[in-house]
Amino acid sequence: MKKRVFTILAIAAFGLTSVTAQKTIRLGYIDMEYILENVPEYQEASRQLDNRVQEWKVEAEARLRKVEDMKTRLDNERALLTKELIEERESEIAYMEQQAMEYQQNRFGPNGDYMIQKKQLVRPIQDQVFTAVQQIAETRNLDFVFDRTADIGMIYADKQYDVSESVLRTIKRTANREQLETKDEIKELEKAEDRTVEQDAEITKREELVEQRKSEREEFIEAKKRERDSLKAARQKEFEERRAKILAERERKRDSILKAREKKNDTIN
């Protein structure tokens, strides 16, 4: 797996090198910490956050001290207490200790208030920085801009150097190659590998158009079928109604004849 990833990265690097052989890459960098230190709005909001952090620390320390005091008192009084009272006090101490730990986690944990508010504090300035960096990079024809204070330093890159699509295609081709069995399949894959991203996009576009037309044709056939079924149902209903009407008329005539005969017989008798 590591060998495969290395191969993919090497291919991506080769592609980038080919591009840079024709053009000198222009780099720039920023110091985000320096920028933040010189933005008054950020400094004021940071001071307010620091004040809240101090309050949280005081509260957290007070809760822990309270737990320690409870433990000390229990140790001093343990000899004078019954087993039931000792268990009750230990249970209370465990609960208070758990509450103190949860408070610390909620305030200073990875998803705590401090991290959330710190991100909220920095985000508006970062948005401004990114917008400014993009404008400056385009004006000065910079290809890449890095933040030297960040773990992942690149914050701007010219799209012409984006080889993500090529890397993705290489991964897919490698996976496809491992599944091939016949020479014809391998030959077809090699033809596909010779195509550029633009050619692949054009083929995909044509395939999507064919699929769309196929879907439209199927919908048209289905609509015609529904129309035929509807006409057939209407004709069947009309036939049933006409048949019922004829049968009813026959029944009426038969009843009329029977009544006439009964009347005639009554007259003779």
Side-chain angles (χ1 to χ4, degrees), residues 23-30 128-146 154-161:
K23 175 188 173 183
T24 301
I25 292 181
R26 295 172 59 86
L27 304 177
Y29 77 90
I30 65 168
Q128 295 178 39
V129 170
F130 293 154
T131 300
V133 165
Q134 185 172 359
Q135 294 173 352
I136 294 168
E138 292 173 355
T139 301
R140 298 188 180 183
N141 294 321
L142 299 177
D143 297 307
F144 299 95
V145 178
F146 297 85
M154 188 169 64
I155 59 175
Y156 171 83
D158 193 316
K159 285 193 174 295
Q160 67 176 303
Y161 299 108

Side-chain angles (χ1 to χ4, degrees), residues 17-255:
T17 303
S18 300
V19 175
T20 57
Q22 304 172 13
K23 175 188 173 183
T24 301
I25 292 181
R26 295 172 59 86
L27 304 177
Y29 77 90
I30 65 168
D31 187 330
M32 182 65 82
E33 292 180 0
Y34 171 78
I35 293 172
L36 294 177
E37 288 172 359
N38 288 275
V39 176
E41 294 85 355
Y42 173 80
Q43 289 301 311
E44 176 59 29
S46 183
R47 279 192 292 271
Q48 294 178 9
L49 179 58
D50 289 341
N51 291 336
R52 286 196 293 273
V53 168
Q54 285 301 121
E55 293 175 0
W56 296 339
K57 286 182 178 180
V58 169
E59 176 65 19
E61 291 171 358
R63 292 184 179 220
L64 289 175
R65 280 198 304 271
K66 184 175 181 180
V67 171
E68 292 303 318
D69 290 344
M70 294 173 69
K71 289 180 179 180
T72 301
R73 286 199 303 271
L74 177 59
D75 288 340
N76 293 336
E77 300 171 3
R78 187 178 296 272
L80 304 175
L81 300 174
T82 63
K83 180 181 178 181
E84 289 76 12
L85 286 175
I86 292 173
E87 291 177 351
E88 182 180 338
R89 294 270 288 274
E90 286 177 341
S91 177
E92 183 182 4
I93 290 171
Y95 173 76
M96 296 297 293
E97 190 170 25
Q98 180 185 355
Q99 292 294 303
M101 293 296 103
E102 288 181 0
Y103 181 85
Q104 280 190 323
Q105 188 70 14
N106 291 337
R107 294 301 192 187
F108 302 107
N111 299 314
D113 294 333
Y114 175 73
M115 294 303 298
I116 292 173
Q117 295 189 28
K118 187 72 173 178
K119 291 177 182 178
Q120 291 175 344
L121 179 63
V122 174
R123 188 174 295 115
I125 309 302
Q126 286 179 331
D127 292 342
Q128 295 178 39
V129 170
F130 293 154
T131 300
V133 165
Q134 185 172 359
Q135 294 173 352
I136 294 168
E138 292 173 355
T139 301
R140 298 188 180 183
N141 294 321
L142 299 177
D143 297 307
F144 299 95
V145 178
F146 297 85
D147 177 8
R148 72 180 187 87
T149 63
D151 294 332
I152 304 176
M154 188 169 64
I155 59 175
Y156 171 83
D158 193 316
K159 285 193 174 295
Q160 67 176 303
Y161 299 108
D162 186 357
V163 294
S164 302
E165 190 63 34
S166 297
V167 171
L168 182 60
R169 292 175 69 215
T170 302
I171 292 173
K172 291 180 178 179
R173 287 170 179 173
T174 302
N176 291 337
R177 185 178 288 274
E178 292 176 351
Q179 299 174 7
L180 299 182
E181 296 179 357
T182 67
K183 291 182 179 180
D184 290 339
E185 290 176 336
I186 295 174
K187 187 176 180 180
E188 186 64 27
L189 177 63
E190 289 174 347
K191 287 173 58 179
E193 289 178 345
D194 290 336
R195 294 197 296 262
T196 64
V197 174
E198 291 75 15
Q199 288 172 331
D200 274 346
E202 182 62 28
I203 291 173
T204 301
K205 185 177 180 180
R206 289 200 298 268
E207 290 175 347
E208 289 176 349
L209 183 60
V210 170
E211 189 64 27
Q212 179 183 350
R213 288 176 177 171
K214 179 182 176 183
S215 177
E216 290 174 351
R217 186 164 59 252
E218 290 175 350
E219 289 179 1
F220 175 78
I221 293 172
E222 183 63 26
K224 284 294 184 181
K225 182 178 181 298
R226 287 196 299 269
E227 184 179 352
R228 287 196 302 271
D229 291 344
S230 178
L231 289 173
K232 183 179 178 181
R235 291 194 187 103
Q236 183 66 25
K237 182 180 179 181
E238 183 181 355
F239 170 77
E240 294 291 343
E241 290 176 349
R242 188 167 59 251
R243 181 171 179 273
K245 186 177 180 180
I246 292 171
L247 291 175
E249 182 65 20
R250 287 177 181 175
E251 186 70 17
R252 186 185 66 77
K253 288 181 178 180
R254 187 176 68 83
D255 291 345

